[in-house]
Amino acid sequence: MTDTDRLDDTLRSVLMLPADADLATVAYGGTETWDSVAHMQLVLAIEETFGITLAADDVVAMSDYPAATRILRDHHGLALDR
Amino acid sequence: MTLRNGRPGRGLLSRGAPDRPALIDASTGAAVSYGDLRARGGAWSARLGPARTLLLLVCRNDLFTTVAYAGAFEGDHAVALLDSQASGPSTAGVVAAYRPPWIAGPIGLGEQLADNAVPVASVEVVEGGELVRTGYPAELDLHPDLAVLLATSGTTGSRKFVRLSAANVLSNARSIVDYLGLSPDERPITSLPLHYSFGLSVLNSHLAAGATVVVSAASVLEPTFWTTFREQGCTSLAGVPFTFQMLERIGFREMDLPSLGTLQQAGGALDRRLTELYSSHMADRGGRFFVMYGQTEATARMAYVPPDRMPEKLGSAGIAIPGGRLRIETTSDDGGHGAGSGEVVYEGPNVMMGYASERDDLVLGDELNGVLRTGDLGYLDDDGFLFLVGRSKRIAKVFGLRVNLDELEAVLRRHGPAAVVAGQDSIWGFCEFGTDESVAALALAVARDSKIHHGAVRFRRVAAIPTTSSGKVDYRQVERWVSSK
């Protein structure tokens, strides 16, 4: 399983998205299931999945899929292809 | 200040100087002065007609909601506040129970109501929102004191509301102005929903102080919230325990917020570590951290811990607010919490008139006479500080929302034997029926209907629900399952 798959699975599971959901368009406040409670759970789930600790600024900045990819790739060196 | 029929308003805005800003819209930066608010509120009130009527207000944290609320309140109408996040069917259920002549809310509300079989006579676009005239008669019997209706539970499926008089609202607002020492220079940001009694009390108390409320729909997890906070020079922030967990995770204590002076916490007990951290943090930066205790049944607030009594009174829910009194009613059964513990009883002018569950209840007068049995168990120390030790009713707080565990359990019991208990910001349901898949599906359905976050509702299948010798569910035993998970 690639890091991208693991990120996708984490998002789908925490945000309760169907398998065919277009993750590129999910966003905090825009996706119905992505509210503040889900955001905190998402942060925890990503940290557990990848064994990392997100910086405080990144917790706020990680508000959609591209942002999550960028943060995990640039700040944590994960191999994310999107 | 003239509003409906040339009569003076109820007095919520009376301390606001006409040229001072009452509200600032975070999305545009536009200010509404107290003079403007009186005029626009007067226009709102006039739209509802010359007779006292009932407005159901579907709330968001925006200018539309705050102006409509202030207008209806000052115009001597009764206004019921609902969550805009509630589902169409759940809003329609409230409408069917109360038959309000008027409903106001976001654009699209009229269509959503019609889709859910609410009789819609006309829809008018007003100030960027919609005012819906329903097919229900405009004439209705309202008790002359009735001013505000707030849902009793964070779970929006509920049709049970707390009936508040104008005197309830004003006395609580003025008491808060007094103990927080609010001046017209205060500038809080709306960090809690307005349909929630704690969130509404932030608005009411600061309007009563002639201060400026910055109206923002953003959560503390969004960068725009902090941009607004800095640009508008906000002075205070109110939160439930979950707010402080979020603040801690996003590095709040390292943020540069020169205008911040006060943090307010209520809506459930904040854990000891965060209470200590935020109390000392605010003291270090020359500000104040207020731990408070309240209930919607008391309009909002009943007790507070003066910041200068921290850390000495760490863990306390505080002393009674000005004008209120706390006492403990001890019974032979102290619930195993020790001598001196008993039910917390609050007395004060902010105690609700009573509950309502349908339109006919809106004619009822004051049924409590200023005395509220809170359902909380606690004791008072020698200095009169309240310490809470539990609840006599089975009510849990999940992310600041109040959840009646017995009501939820009744839903599960339609399927078979079940027990529902609370964990840390979670609800656990144990079922003697179904399959792993079916109880998981039930958990999702319950979460959706009750608006509790799906991650906080956990249902499990068990072989048997433990019972006491008298045949009742043994909740202590069930709670042990939760703490072992």
Side-chain angles (χ1 to χ4, degrees), chain B residues 166-191:
Chain B
N168 289 155
V169 173
L170 293 169
S171 68
N172 204 224
R174 286 170 185 154
S175 178
I176 294 166
V177 171
D178 183 0
Y179 79 75
L180 287 180
L182 298 179
S183 82
D185 296 327
E186 285 292 335
R187 204 167 253 230
I189 185 165
T190 55
S191 46

Side-chain angles (χ1 to χ4, degrees), chain B residues 118-183:
Chain B
V118 171
V120 172
S122 68
V123 180
E124 187 190 349
V125 174
V126 172
E127 299 217 11
E130 283 182 5
L131 177 60
V132 175
R133 177 69 181 91
T134 65
Y136 300 118
E139 299 76 37
L140 73 168
D141 274 339
L142 294 173
H143 191 277
D145 294 340
L146 183 66
V148 176
L149 291 154
L150 293 178
T152 50
S153 157
T155 55
T156 49
S158 170
R159 292 168 198 182
K160 192 170 168 191
F161 281 70
V162 158
R163 293 181 289 119
L164 300 174
S165 67
N168 289 155
V169 173
L170 293 169
S171 68
N172 204 224
R174 286 170 185 154
S175 178
I176 294 166
V177 171
D178 183 0
Y179 79 75
L180 287 180
L182 298 179
S183 82

Side-chain angles (χ1 to χ4, degrees), chain B residues 52-341:
Chain B
R52 234 167 94 68
T53 190
L54 172 64
L55 171 68
L56 199 144
L57 183 56
V58 177
C59 298
R60 291 180 305 178
N61 280 9
D62 61 8
L63 223 48
F64 175 84
T65 301
T66 42
V67 173
Y69 165 75
F73 183 86
E74 284 296 277
D76 201 31
H77 296 295
V79 54
L81 305 186
L82 271 193
D83 183 1
S84 65
Q85 301 290 311
S87 68
S90 117
T91 302
V94 173
V95 172
Y98 290 93
R99 306 193 301 280
W102 300 98
I103 309 176
I107 298 288
L109 175 71
E111 205 180 311
Q112 190 212 45
L113 291 169
D115 287 348
N116 284 284
V118 171
V120 172
S122 68
V123 180
E124 187 190 349
V125 174
V126 172
E127 299 217 11
E130 283 182 5
L131 177 60
V132 175
R133 177 69 181 91
T134 65
Y136 300 118
E139 299 76 37
L140 73 168
D141 274 339
L142 294 173
H143 191 277
D145 294 340
L146 183 66
V148 176
L149 291 154
L150 293 178
T152 50
S153 157
T155 55
T156 49
S158 170
R159 292 168 198 182
K160 192 170 168 191
F161 281 70
V162 158
R163 293 181 289 119
L164 300 174
S165 67
N168 289 155
V169 173
L170 293 169
S171 68
N172 204 224
R174 286 170 185 154
S175 178
I176 294 166
V177 171
D178 183 0
Y179 79 75
L180 287 180
L182 298 179
S183 82
D185 296 327
E186 285 292 335
R187 204 167 253 230
I189 185 165
T190 55
S191 46
L192 296 164
L194 290 167
H195 65 268
Y196 170 46
S197 58
F198 184 17
L200 185 66
S201 75
V202 173
L203 176 71
N204 284 334
S205 58
H206 285 84
L207 289 178
T212 305
V213 178
V214 178
V215 183
S216 163
S219 102
V220 300
L221 293 176
E222 291 172 82
T224 57
F225 182 91
W226 301 106
T227 311
T228 300
F229 198 98
R230 292 188 182 96
E231 283 180 3
Q232 297 297 343
C234 293
T235 59
S236 79
L237 178 61
V240 297
F242 182 60
T243 314
F244 287 87
Q245 289 168 27
M246 292 190 283
L247 291 177
E248 186 56 14
R249 188 60 188 84
I250 62 172
F252 175 82
R253 290 181 294 123
E254 278 74 49
M255 284 185 197
D256 182 31
L257 301 168
S259 56
L260 175 69
T262 307
L263 288 181
Q264 303 185 46
Q265 186 271 320
L270 184 64
D271 75 54
R272 205 178 168 85
R273 184 185 75 94
L274 285 176
T275 309
E276 216 160 5
L277 268 179
Y278 279 77
S279 170
S280 66
H281 171 72
M282 289 308 288
D284 288 349
R285 59 187 297 160
R288 305 173 304 163
F289 178 62
F290 283 91
V291 169
M292 308 177 303
Y293 163 62
Q295 277 187 359
T296 303
E297 285 83 346
T299 306
R301 310 197 203 167
M302 297 185 283
Y304 72 106
V305 182
D308 61 2
R309 301 303 293 272
M310 290 285 205
E312 176 202 354
K313 297 298 183 185
L314 202 71
S316 171
I319 52 172
I321 61 170
R325 201 166 78 86
L326 287 167
R327 61 184 166 82
I328 303 297
E329 209 159 278
T330 48
T331 55
S332 53
D333 176 17
D334 63 14
H337 293 291
S341 285

Side-chain angles (χ1 to χ4, degrees), chain B residues 372-421:
Chain B
L372 177 67
R373 302 178 60 90
T374 63
D376 288 320
L377 299 174
Y379 63 89
L380 294 169
D381 74 4
D382 293 343
D383 299 325
F385 280 73
L386 175 67
F387 287 81
L388 297 172
V389 294
R391 280 201 60 90
S392 59
K393 293 176 198 158
R394 295 214 315 128
I395 304 275
K397 288 243 171 135
V398 182
F399 300 116
L401 299 180
R402 199 157 65 156
V403 179
N404 185 320
L405 298 175
D406 290 327
E407 281 177 19
L408 215 55
E409 192 173 284
V411 172
L412 262 64
R413 282 178 179 278
R414 284 181 213 146
H415 303 271
V420 174
V421 295

Side-chain angles (χ1 to χ4, degrees), chain A residues 13-16 28 32-33 35-41 43 47 53-56 59-60, chain B residues 219-223 226 242 245-246 248-251 255 399 444 451 453-456 458:
Chain A
S13 140
V14 174
L15 304 178
M16 298 198 313
Y28 180 98
E32 204 194 337
T33 50
D35 57 9
S36 56
V37 174
H39 192 75
M40 295 296 280
Q41 287 179 335
V43 166
E47 290 184 333
T53 303
L54 292 165
V59 171
V60 177
Chain B
S219 102
V220 300
L221 293 176
E222 291 172 82
W226 301 106
F242 182 60
Q245 289 168 27
M246 292 190 283
E248 186 56 14
R249 188 60 188 84
I250 62 172
M255 284 185 197
F399 300 116
L444 275 181
K451 280 291 179 190
H453 192 268
H454 60 85
R458 295 165 201 180

Side-chain angles (χ1 to χ4, degrees), chain B residues 23-32 63 215 228 231-232:
Chain B
L23 305 169
I24 289 176
D25 182 350
S27 59
T28 63
V32 178
L63 223 48
V215 183
T228 300
E231 283 180 3
Q232 297 297 343

